[in-house]
Amino acid sequence: MPWREDRGWYKIWISEIMLQQTRVQQVVPYFLRFIQAFPDVKKLARARQEKVLQVWEGLGYYSRARNLHLAARMIVTGFQGELPRDDGLLSRLPGFGPYTTHAVLSIAFNQPYAVVDGNVLRIASRLFKIRNDLRSSLTRKKIQKIMDMIIDRKSPGLFNEAMMELGALICLPLYPLCIQCPLQELCAAFQSHTVAKYPYKSKPVPKPSITNITFLLQNRKKFLIVKRPQRGLLAGLWEFPSYSLPLPSGGKDQKWEPLLKDRGIKAHLIRRLPAITHSYTHFNLLLIPYHLQTEQRKIKFEEYDTGKWVLWSALKKLPMHRVMRKLIAISKTESVPVSKRKIKNS
Ligand code: SF4
């Protein structure tokens, strides 16, 4: 892995943040691109947030990028560009939860902190025949305690990396490769022929569904895009103006006219685009896009910090989330036939 070429804390930190909720193979090209754009913490600290989000684009979970950027600024201004090696200080920086703090301290500075991610939880539940629910925080605490006790104090970083790698390559979720496993003799589940019983994980709570109406508002050759607020989901990213409809989701034939009429916007429909579905961590999204023509230039959306009219070709230079990229891609090729309708709100 490119982040293993040297043991510098900067690359280890960036890789550990990227590897949260993202597979190793997926991370590699993003990691290389990020390091090329921001080769050290000072360059990252000096960058504009919009540039950081743009380089991060495609990896999702954008709060990770914003926290990286904020933490880089704090490291440069508060710690002379050096990462604090103290557990308490480090965990006060944005984005340094217990997992990241322990991973960076053990791998970069050889401090004896065990990291417990999904892989380690699974391995531990099999090694020690732990039948408690892995979704429970109590189980996680129990496993953290055990791992803190058994970690190799001479090489904690190597120990942690070995555990993560064992989980990624050998002790797999569905079909663990026990025959190749170096821990066979120590593994209580393997020794008792009960591997299939571990781990135990209760069923996830079903996610709610949300429907969004999205407008590609066109004025001559330009399109209106708006910037999301600096806090909350997908903060600081650009998108086409969108409205969440009340739960439960309202199906694909939502009325778009009243939403614009209420805001004093006159527009007519050019075409309806195919609906897009996307699954976020806490909800499923159904996005219904409309391509509309308007003569108005001054349009204010209360829900957004700022907006501007841009040429279609300029969209690729702005940080946008994955659903908007999907929308841009389908709008080049597809549309749903509709009868021409006009809003009569003049
Ligand atoms: Fe996992 Fe099998 Fe190894 Fe036990 S023996 S740790 S179940 S791969």
PDB file of all heavy atoms in Angstrom, residues 122-124 126-127 166 170-172 176-191 195 198, ligand 1:
ATOM      1  N   ARG A 122     -14.829  -8.884  14.398  1.00  0.00           N
ATOM      2  CA  ARG A 122     -15.191 -10.218  13.880  1.00  0.00           C
ATOM      3  C   ARG A 122     -14.155 -11.267  14.314  1.00  0.00           C
ATOM      4  O   ARG A 122     -14.517 -12.338  14.801  1.00  0.00           O
ATOM      5  CB  ARG A 122     -15.275 -10.154  12.355  1.00  0.00           C
ATOM      6  CG  ARG A 122     -15.687 -11.446  11.700  1.00  0.00           C
ATOM      7  CD  ARG A 122     -15.934 -11.268  10.223  1.00  0.00           C
ATOM      8  NE  ARG A 122     -14.760 -10.884   9.482  1.00  0.00           N
ATOM      9  CZ  ARG A 122     -14.522  -9.669   8.985  1.00  0.00           C
ATOM     10  NH1 ARG A 122     -15.396  -8.707   9.152  1.00  0.00           N
ATOM     11  NH2 ARG A 122     -13.413  -9.401   8.328  1.00  0.00           N
ATOM     12  N   ILE A 123     -12.871 -10.941  14.153  1.00  0.00           N
ATOM     13  CA  ILE A 123     -11.819 -11.906  14.518  1.00  0.00           C
ATOM     14  C   ILE A 123     -11.913 -12.231  16.010  1.00  0.00           C
ATOM     15  O   ILE A 123     -11.881 -13.395  16.405  1.00  0.00           O
ATOM     16  CB  ILE A 123     -10.414 -11.340  14.208  1.00  0.00           C
ATOM     17  CG1 ILE A 123     -10.267 -11.057  12.721  1.00  0.00           C
ATOM     18  CG2 ILE A 123      -9.326 -12.315  14.657  1.00  0.00           C
ATOM     19  CD1 ILE A 123      -9.004 -10.284  12.366  1.00  0.00           C
ATOM     20  N   ALA A 124     -12.038 -11.175  16.828  1.00  0.00           N
ATOM     21  CA  ALA A 124     -12.068 -11.399  18.284  1.00  0.00           C
ATOM     22  C   ALA A 124     -13.265 -12.251  18.683  1.00  0.00           C
ATOM     23  O   ALA A 124     -13.166 -13.123  19.550  1.00  0.00           O
ATOM     24  CB  ALA A 124     -12.099 -10.060  19.012  1.00  0.00           C
ATOM     25  N   ARG A 126     -14.618 -14.567  17.075  1.00  0.00           N
ATOM     26  CA  ARG A 126     -14.332 -15.976  16.755  1.00  0.00           C
ATOM     27  C   ARG A 126     -13.202 -16.527  17.631  1.00  0.00           C
ATOM     28  O   ARG A 126     -13.301 -17.651  18.134  1.00  0.00           O
ATOM     29  CB  ARG A 126     -13.956 -16.094  15.269  1.00  0.00           C
ATOM     30  CG  ARG A 126     -15.151 -15.884  14.354  1.00  0.00           C
ATOM     31  CD  ARG A 126     -14.731 -15.721  12.909  1.00  0.00           C
ATOM     32  NE  ARG A 126     -15.899 -15.659  12.032  1.00  0.00           N
ATOM     33  CZ  ARG A 126     -15.854 -15.213  10.778  1.00  0.00           C
ATOM     34  NH1 ARG A 126     -14.716 -14.798  10.242  1.00  0.00           N
ATOM     35  NH2 ARG A 126     -16.952 -15.200  10.040  1.00  0.00           N
ATOM     36  N   LEU A 127     -12.160 -15.721  17.795  1.00  0.00           N
ATOM     37  CA  LEU A 127     -11.012 -16.194  18.590  1.00  0.00           C
ATOM     38  C   LEU A 127     -11.427 -16.572  20.003  1.00  0.00           C
ATOM     39  O   LEU A 127     -10.979 -17.573  20.552  1.00  0.00           O
ATOM     40  CB  LEU A 127      -9.964 -15.084  18.693  1.00  0.00           C
ATOM     41  CG  LEU A 127      -8.886 -14.957  17.633  1.00  0.00           C
ATOM     42  CD1 LEU A 127      -7.978 -13.777  17.966  1.00  0.00           C
ATOM     43  CD2 LEU A 127      -8.064 -16.237  17.524  1.00  0.00           C
ATOM     44  N   LEU A 166      -5.483  -9.614   8.587  1.00  0.00           N
ATOM     45  CA  LEU A 166      -6.064 -10.952   8.780  1.00  0.00           C
ATOM     46  C   LEU A 166      -7.570 -10.900   8.503  1.00  0.00           C
ATOM     47  O   LEU A 166      -8.133 -11.790   7.860  1.00  0.00           O
ATOM     48  CB  LEU A 166      -5.803 -11.426  10.209  1.00  0.00           C
ATOM     49  CG  LEU A 166      -6.173 -12.881  10.489  1.00  0.00           C
ATOM     50  CD1 LEU A 166      -5.103 -13.820   9.958  1.00  0.00           C
ATOM     51  CD2 LEU A 166      -6.371 -13.123  11.973  1.00  0.00           C
ATOM     52  N   ILE A 170      -8.130 -13.162   5.395  1.00  0.00           N
ATOM     53  CA  ILE A 170      -8.265 -14.567   5.847  1.00  0.00           C
ATOM     54  C   ILE A 170      -9.563 -14.783   6.641  1.00  0.00           C
ATOM     55  O   ILE A 170     -10.393 -15.615   6.285  1.00  0.00           O
ATOM     56  CB  ILE A 170      -7.065 -14.977   6.742  1.00  0.00           C
ATOM     57  CG1 ILE A 170      -5.738 -14.738   6.026  1.00  0.00           C
ATOM     58  CG2 ILE A 170      -7.211 -16.422   7.220  1.00  0.00           C
ATOM     59  CD1 ILE A 170      -5.311 -15.768   5.030  1.00  0.00           C
ATOM     60  N   CYS A 171      -9.733 -14.039   7.703  1.00  0.00           N
ATOM     61  CA  CYS A 171     -10.899 -14.251   8.569  1.00  0.00           C
ATOM     62  C   CYS A 171     -12.065 -13.453   7.982  1.00  0.00           C
ATOM     63  O   CYS A 171     -12.546 -12.482   8.558  1.00  0.00           O
ATOM     64  CB  CYS A 171     -10.573 -13.819   9.999  1.00  0.00           C
ATOM     65  SG  CYS A 171     -11.765 -14.442  11.188  1.00  0.00           S
ATOM     66  N   LEU A 172     -12.529 -13.908   6.831  1.00  0.00           N
ATOM     67  CA  LEU A 172     -13.528 -13.150   6.060  1.00  0.00           C
ATOM     68  C   LEU A 172     -14.918 -13.281   6.680  1.00  0.00           C
ATOM     69  O   LEU A 172     -15.197 -14.268   7.372  1.00  0.00           O
ATOM     70  CB  LEU A 172     -13.543 -13.673   4.621  1.00  0.00           C
ATOM     71  CG  LEU A 172     -12.198 -13.549   3.883  1.00  0.00           C
ATOM     72  CD1 LEU A 172     -12.233 -14.298   2.560  1.00  0.00           C
ATOM     73  CD2 LEU A 172     -11.842 -12.100   3.660  1.00  0.00           C
ATOM     74  N   PRO A 176     -14.595 -17.678   6.099  1.00  0.00           N
ATOM     75  CA  PRO A 176     -13.217 -17.503   6.565  1.00  0.00           C
ATOM     76  C   PRO A 176     -12.317 -18.633   6.054  1.00  0.00           C
ATOM     77  O   PRO A 176     -12.754 -19.788   5.967  1.00  0.00           O
ATOM     78  CB  PRO A 176     -13.352 -17.564   8.090  1.00  0.00           C
ATOM     79  CG  PRO A 176     -14.657 -18.212   8.365  1.00  0.00           C
ATOM     80  CD  PRO A 176     -15.545 -17.911   7.207  1.00  0.00           C
ATOM     81  N   LEU A 177     -11.081 -18.261   5.697  1.00  0.00           N
ATOM     82  CA  LEU A 177     -10.139 -19.244   5.147  1.00  0.00           C
ATOM     83  C   LEU A 177      -9.313 -19.843   6.290  1.00  0.00           C
ATOM     84  O   LEU A 177      -8.104 -19.648   6.383  1.00  0.00           O
ATOM     85  CB  LEU A 177      -9.238 -18.571   4.112  1.00  0.00           C
ATOM     86  CG  LEU A 177      -9.970 -17.798   2.999  1.00  0.00           C
ATOM     87  CD1 LEU A 177      -8.996 -17.025   2.124  1.00  0.00           C
ATOM     88  CD2 LEU A 177     -10.796 -18.765   2.152  1.00  0.00           C
ATOM     89  N   CYS A 178      -9.988 -20.605   7.150  1.00  0.00           N
ATOM     90  CA  CYS A 178      -9.343 -21.114   8.371  1.00  0.00           C
ATOM     91  C   CYS A 178      -8.126 -21.983   8.051  1.00  0.00           C
ATOM     92  O   CYS A 178      -7.156 -22.006   8.821  1.00  0.00           O
ATOM     93  CB  CYS A 178     -10.351 -21.901   9.208  1.00  0.00           C
ATOM     94  SG  CYS A 178     -11.737 -20.901   9.753  1.00  0.00           S
ATOM     95  N   ILE A 179      -8.182 -22.697   6.928  1.00  0.00           N
ATOM     96  CA  ILE A 179      -7.084 -23.596   6.563  1.00  0.00           C
ATOM     97  C   ILE A 179      -5.776 -22.819   6.422  1.00  0.00           C
ATOM     98  O   ILE A 179      -4.703 -23.323   6.721  1.00  0.00           O
ATOM     99  CB  ILE A 179      -7.430 -24.339   5.236  1.00  0.00           C
ATOM    100  CG1 ILE A 179      -8.656 -25.218   5.447  1.00  0.00           C
ATOM    101  CG2 ILE A 179      -6.270 -25.135   4.676  1.00  0.00           C
ATOM    102  CD1 ILE A 179      -8.508 -26.239   6.565  1.00  0.00           C
ATOM    103  N   GLN A 180      -5.877 -21.561   5.984  1.00  0.00           N
ATOM    104  CA  GLN A 180      -4.660 -20.756   5.796  1.00  0.00           C
ATOM    105  C   GLN A 180      -4.341 -19.877   6.999  1.00  0.00           C
ATOM    106  O   GLN A 180      -3.418 -19.075   6.952  1.00  0.00           O
ATOM    107  CB  GLN A 180      -4.837 -19.835   4.580  1.00  0.00           C
ATOM    108  CG  GLN A 180      -5.064 -20.556   3.282  1.00  0.00           C
ATOM    109  CD  GLN A 180      -5.416 -19.555   2.171  1.00  0.00           C
ATOM    110  OE1 GLN A 180      -4.989 -18.421   2.175  1.00  0.00           O
ATOM    111  NE2 GLN A 180      -6.219 -20.010   1.224  1.00  0.00           N
ATOM    112  N   CYS A 181      -5.126 -19.980   8.045  1.00  0.00           N
ATOM    113  CA  CYS A 181      -5.024 -18.987   9.121  1.00  0.00           C
ATOM    114  C   CYS A 181      -3.904 -19.319  10.118  1.00  0.00           C
ATOM    115  O   CYS A 181      -3.853 -20.431  10.658  1.00  0.00           O
ATOM    116  CB  CYS A 181      -6.361 -18.901   9.873  1.00  0.00           C
ATOM    117  SG  CYS A 181      -6.309 -17.683  11.194  1.00  0.00           S
ATOM    118  N   PRO A 182      -3.043 -18.342  10.400  1.00  0.00           N
ATOM    119  CA  PRO A 182      -1.959 -18.584  11.372  1.00  0.00           C
ATOM    120  C   PRO A 182      -2.453 -18.672  12.822  1.00  0.00           C
ATOM    121  O   PRO A 182      -1.700 -19.060  13.704  1.00  0.00           O
ATOM    122  CB  PRO A 182      -1.043 -17.375  11.178  1.00  0.00           C
ATOM    123  CG  PRO A 182      -1.917 -16.302  10.614  1.00  0.00           C
ATOM    124  CD  PRO A 182      -2.978 -16.987   9.818  1.00  0.00           C
ATOM    125  N   LEU A 183      -3.721 -18.337  13.056  1.00  0.00           N
ATOM    126  CA  LEU A 183      -4.243 -18.353  14.437  1.00  0.00           C
ATOM    127  C   LEU A 183      -5.093 -19.583  14.748  1.00  0.00           C
ATOM    128  O   LEU A 183      -5.701 -19.653  15.823  1.00  0.00           O
ATOM    129  CB  LEU A 183      -5.076 -17.079  14.696  1.00  0.00           C
ATOM    130  CG  LEU A 183      -4.361 -15.748  14.574  1.00  0.00           C
ATOM    131  CD1 LEU A 183      -5.268 -14.608  14.994  1.00  0.00           C
ATOM    132  CD2 LEU A 183      -3.092 -15.723  15.409  1.00  0.00           C
ATOM    133  N   GLN A 184      -5.120 -20.525  13.798  1.00  0.00           N
ATOM    134  CA  GLN A 184      -5.942 -21.741  13.989  1.00  0.00           C
ATOM    135  C   GLN A 184      -5.874 -22.319  15.400  1.00  0.00           C
ATOM    136  O   GLN A 184      -6.882 -22.587  16.036  1.00  0.00           O
ATOM    137  CB  GLN A 184      -5.407 -22.819  13.058  1.00  0.00           C
ATOM    138  CG  GLN A 184      -6.195 -23.083  11.838  1.00  0.00           C
ATOM    139  CD  GLN A 184      -5.558 -24.228  11.075  1.00  0.00           C
ATOM    140  OE1 GLN A 184      -4.918 -25.113  11.644  1.00  0.00           O
ATOM    141  NE2 GLN A 184      -5.746 -24.189   9.771  1.00  0.00           N
ATOM    142  N   GLU A 185      -4.652 -22.503  15.879  1.00  0.00           N
ATOM    143  CA  GLU A 185      -4.500 -23.215  17.158  1.00  0.00           C
ATOM    144  C   GLU A 185      -5.017 -22.400  18.337  1.00  0.00           C
ATOM    145  O   GLU A 185      -5.364 -22.936  19.381  1.00  0.00           O
ATOM    146  CB  GLU A 185      -3.036 -23.563  17.388  1.00  0.00           C
ATOM    147  CG  GLU A 185      -2.608 -24.705  16.496  1.00  0.00           C
ATOM    148  CD  GLU A 185      -1.161 -25.087  16.718  1.00  0.00           C
ATOM    149  OE1 GLU A 185      -0.623 -24.766  17.794  1.00  0.00           O
ATOM    150  OE2 GLU A 185      -0.594 -25.675  15.784  1.00  0.00           O
ATOM    151  N   LEU A 186      -5.037 -21.073  18.160  1.00  0.00           N
ATOM    152  CA  LEU A 186      -5.499 -20.207  19.251  1.00  0.00           C
ATOM    153  C   LEU A 186      -6.989 -19.918  19.170  1.00  0.00           C
ATOM    154  O   LEU A 186      -7.567 -19.364  20.096  1.00  0.00           O
ATOM    155  CB  LEU A 186      -4.764 -18.862  19.201  1.00  0.00           C
ATOM    156  CG  LEU A 186      -3.252 -18.869  19.326  1.00  0.00           C
ATOM    157  CD1 LEU A 186      -2.688 -17.497  19.000  1.00  0.00           C
ATOM    158  CD2 LEU A 186      -2.855 -19.286  20.733  1.00  0.00           C
ATOM    159  N   CYS A 187      -7.596 -20.291  18.054  1.00  0.00           N
ATOM    160  CA  CYS A 187      -8.958 -19.839  17.790  1.00  0.00           C
ATOM    161  C   CYS A 187      -9.988 -20.790  18.418  1.00  0.00           C
ATOM    162  O   CYS A 187     -10.127 -21.947  17.997  1.00  0.00           O
ATOM    163  CB  CYS A 187      -9.171 -19.733  16.284  1.00  0.00           C
ATOM    164  SG  CYS A 187     -10.838 -19.212  15.861  1.00  0.00           S
ATOM    165  N   ALA A 188     -10.700 -20.276  19.418  1.00  0.00           N
ATOM    166  CA  ALA A 188     -11.652 -21.123  20.153  1.00  0.00           C
ATOM    167  C   ALA A 188     -12.772 -21.613  19.239  1.00  0.00           C
ATOM    168  O   ALA A 188     -13.214 -22.763  19.343  1.00  0.00           O
ATOM    169  CB  ALA A 188     -12.231 -20.346  21.323  1.00  0.00           C
ATOM    170  N   ALA A 189     -13.230 -20.757  18.329  1.00  0.00           N
ATOM    171  CA  ALA A 189     -14.321 -21.174  17.432  1.00  0.00           C
ATOM    172  C   ALA A 189     -13.836 -22.276  16.488  1.00  0.00           C
ATOM    173  O   ALA A 189     -14.533 -23.271  16.261  1.00  0.00           O
ATOM    174  CB  ALA A 189     -14.830 -19.973  16.645  1.00  0.00           C
ATOM    175  N   PHE A 190     -12.640 -22.102  15.944  1.00  0.00           N
ATOM    176  CA  PHE A 190     -12.116 -23.125  15.026  1.00  0.00           C
ATOM    177  C   PHE A 190     -11.905 -24.447  15.769  1.00  0.00           C
ATOM    178  O   PHE A 190     -12.293 -25.515  15.277  1.00  0.00           O
ATOM    179  CB  PHE A 190     -10.786 -22.649  14.411  1.00  0.00           C
ATOM    180  CG  PHE A 190     -10.193 -23.638  13.452  1.00  0.00           C
ATOM    181  CD1 PHE A 190     -10.689 -23.741  12.160  1.00  0.00           C
ATOM    182  CD2 PHE A 190      -9.168 -24.485  13.842  1.00  0.00           C
ATOM    183  CE1 PHE A 190     -10.165 -24.678  11.273  1.00  0.00           C
ATOM    184  CE2 PHE A 190      -8.644 -25.421  12.959  1.00  0.00           C
ATOM    185  CZ  PHE A 190      -9.144 -25.513  11.671  1.00  0.00           C
ATOM    186  N   GLN A 191     -11.332 -24.367  16.951  1.00  0.00           N
ATOM    187  CA  GLN A 191     -11.031 -25.594  17.715  1.00  0.00           C
ATOM    188  C   GLN A 191     -12.311 -26.342  18.101  1.00  0.00           C
ATOM    189  O   GLN A 191     -12.299 -27.559  18.249  1.00  0.00           O
ATOM    190  CB  GLN A 191     -10.227 -25.253  18.986  1.00  0.00           C
ATOM    191  CG  GLN A 191      -8.816 -24.740  18.704  1.00  0.00           C
ATOM    192  CD  GLN A 191      -7.929 -25.751  17.966  1.00  0.00           C
ATOM    193  OE1 GLN A 191      -8.098 -26.958  18.094  1.00  0.00           O
ATOM    194  NE2 GLN A 191      -6.995 -25.246  17.156  1.00  0.00           N
ATOM    195  N   VAL A 195     -17.167 -22.154  14.027  1.00  0.00           N
ATOM    196  CA  VAL A 195     -16.865 -20.865  13.380  1.00  0.00           C
ATOM    197  C   VAL A 195     -18.134 -20.223  12.806  1.00  0.00           C
ATOM    198  O   VAL A 195     -18.347 -19.015  12.909  1.00  0.00           O
ATOM    199  CB  VAL A 195     -15.804 -21.050  12.270  1.00  0.00           C
ATOM    200  CG1 VAL A 195     -15.629 -19.764  11.460  1.00  0.00           C
ATOM    201  CG2 VAL A 195     -14.475 -21.451  12.888  1.00  0.00           C
ATOM    202  N   TYR A 198     -20.201 -17.528  14.694  1.00  0.00           N
ATOM    203  CA  TYR A 198     -19.624 -16.240  15.094  1.00  0.00           C
ATOM    204  C   TYR A 198     -19.315 -15.381  13.871  1.00  0.00           C
ATOM    205  O   TYR A 198     -18.928 -15.915  12.844  1.00  0.00           O
ATOM    206  CB  TYR A 198     -18.352 -16.467  15.913  1.00  0.00           C
ATOM    207  CG  TYR A 198     -18.609 -17.256  17.162  1.00  0.00           C
ATOM    208  CD1 TYR A 198     -18.515 -18.647  17.137  1.00  0.00           C
ATOM    209  CD2 TYR A 198     -18.977 -16.621  18.335  1.00  0.00           C
ATOM    210  CE1 TYR A 198     -18.783 -19.392  18.267  1.00  0.00           C
ATOM    211  CE2 TYR A 198     -19.246 -17.365  19.481  1.00  0.00           C
ATOM    212  CZ  TYR A 198     -19.148 -18.755  19.440  1.00  0.00           C
ATOM    213  OH  TYR A 198     -19.428 -19.485  20.574  1.00  0.00           O
TER     214      TYR A 198
HETATM  215 FE1  SF4 B   1     -10.865 -16.639  11.754  1.00  0.00          FE
HETATM  216 FE2  SF4 B   1     -10.760 -19.229  11.110  1.00  0.00          FE
HETATM  217 FE3  SF4 B   1      -8.559 -17.926  11.794  1.00  0.00          FE
HETATM  218 FE4  SF4 B   1     -10.398 -18.475  13.619  1.00  0.00          FE
HETATM  219  S1  SF4 B   1      -9.176 -19.939  12.470  1.00  0.00           S
HETATM  220  S2  SF4 B   1      -9.342 -16.519  13.357  1.00  0.00           S
HETATM  221  S3  SF4 B   1     -12.273 -18.228  12.432  1.00  0.00           S
HETATM  222  S4  SF4 B   1      -9.832 -17.534   9.989  1.00  0.00           S
END
